[in-house]
Amino acid sequence: MNKNLFIFIIVSIFFILAAPPVTAEILGPEIKIQDNDIFVNTGLTNTAEIEVMINSGVEKEILFTIELFRLWNFWPDEFIASKKIQRIIKYDNLRGQYLISSYDGKLQIEKKFKDFDASMKNWVFALNKINLANTKELEPGKYYIRVVVESKSRELPHVIGLLMLFIPEVEMSFAKESEVFIVEDIKHEKS
C-alpha cells in the first residue's frame, strides 16, 4: 500500500511541475456600433510573465493589431481595415519608475508611473473605444474582428533576430476572433 501511495505522489508532483504556466489571454474583443462607427474594446489578462520580465529591467514592446474582416461562404474572408497600437514599457532602475509610450500610427503618448498598479496595467494592457471603421463605408454582410497581440523584447537589435534562427524576435503571439456581426444596408433603411 505504501508503494502505491509513493508512486501516486511522484506522478502527481510530475504533473504539477509539467503543467504550463498561466499565459496571457486576449479579453473580448467587444464590439459596439455607435453612430455608425465600429468601436472595439480589448486587452490582455494574466500578464504575470510579461510583468516579471518588465520588473527585471527588460524593455518590452506589445503590439496590438485589430483587423476587420468580411465573412464569405465559399471564398476566403476579405480583409477590410486594421489598426495597430504599439506600447513600449521600460523600467528605469535608477529613478524607480516605469516609462511607457503608446503609438497608434498618428499620435504618440508617453507616461511615467511609479508603481506597477492597476492604473498602469489598465493603460498598458487594455484598449478601449478603438474606432476601427464606419459602417456607412461597408457593404452589407457578415463581419468579424480579429485581435492579434505580440510581445517582443527590445533588448537585442532586430538584425540579430534575423541572423540567428534560434532567437525569436516575437516572444509571445496571441490571436482571438470576435463573434460575427451583421452590417445592414443603410441606404435601403432610410427610404
Side-chain angles (χ1 to χ4, degrees), residues 159-174:
V159 177
I160 292 177
L162 294 172
L163 296 176
M164 299 181 68
L165 298 175
F166 300 109
I167 300 176
E169 191 172 333
V170 176
E171 296 167 348
M172 292 186 229
S173 181
F174 311 97

Side-chain angles (χ1 to χ4, degrees), residues 25-143:
E25 295 177 8
I26 296 175
L27 293 171
E30 296 174 7
I31 303 161
K32 184 175 183 181
I33 299 175
Q34 183 178 8
D35 297 328
N36 295 322
D37 287 325
I38 300 172
F39 291 101
V40 179
N41 294 329
T42 189
L44 277 180
T45 185
N46 298 332
T47 58
E49 284 184 56
I50 299 171
E51 292 172 26
V52 168
M53 294 168 98
I54 293 168
N55 286 327
S56 67
V58 176
E59 184 175 347
K60 298 294 282 180
E61 175 185 352
I62 299 173
L63 183 65
F64 293 89
T65 305
I66 303 169
E67 303 170 319
L68 175 64
F69 286 92
R70 183 173 183 194
L71 187 66
W72 289 99
N73 289 333
F74 299 108
W75 297 99
D77 296 340
E78 178 184 1
F79 172 79
I80 304 296
S82 74
K83 187 167 251 189
K84 291 187 179 196
I85 293 120
Q86 176 192 47
R87 302 272 165 85
I88 298 173
I89 308 112
K90 180 174 174 72
Y91 181 64
D92 186 348
N93 291 329
L94 296 175
R95 293 187 179 101
Q97 64 185 2
Y98 297 90
L99 308 171
I100 303 166
S101 68
S102 177
Y103 181 67
D104 66 358
K106 296 178 184 175
L107 180 66
Q108 181 163 349
I109 301 171
E110 295 182 358
K111 287 193 173 192
K112 296 177 184 177
F113 291 90
K114 284 285 185 188
D115 298 317
F116 208 108
D117 59 0
S119 64
M120 180 181 149
K121 288 180 190 179
N122 189 37
W123 199 79
V124 171
F125 298 117
L127 299 176
N128 297 312
K129 290 194 85 170
I130 303 299
N131 190 348
L132 190 58
N134 191 302
T135 57
K136 290 181 181 179
E137 300 169 359
L138 301 176
E139 294 291 324
K142 296 179 180 179
Y143 292 84

Side-chain angles (χ1 to χ4, degrees), residues 127-191:
L127 299 176
N128 297 312
K129 290 194 85 170
I130 303 299
N131 190 348
L132 190 58
N134 191 302
T135 57
K136 290 181 181 179
E137 300 169 359
L138 301 176
E139 294 291 324
K142 296 179 180 179
Y143 292 84
Y144 66 93
I145 304 288
R146 177 185 297 148
V147 176
V148 178
V149 182
E150 296 176 341
S151 172
K152 302 176 186 179
S153 176
R154 296 179 47 97
E155 298 299 313
L156 295 174
H158 295 292
V159 177
I160 292 177
L162 294 172
L163 296 176
M164 299 181 68
L165 298 175
F166 300 109
I167 300 176
E169 191 172 333
V170 176
E171 296 167 348
M172 292 186 229
S173 181
F174 311 97
K176 189 173 181 184
E177 295 176 355
S178 72
E179 297 290 325
V180 174
F181 61 97
I182 297 173
V183 173
E184 302 288 337
D185 190 1
I186 297 173
K187 298 170 193 166
H188 292 210
E189 289 179 4
K190 291 184 179 180
S191 46

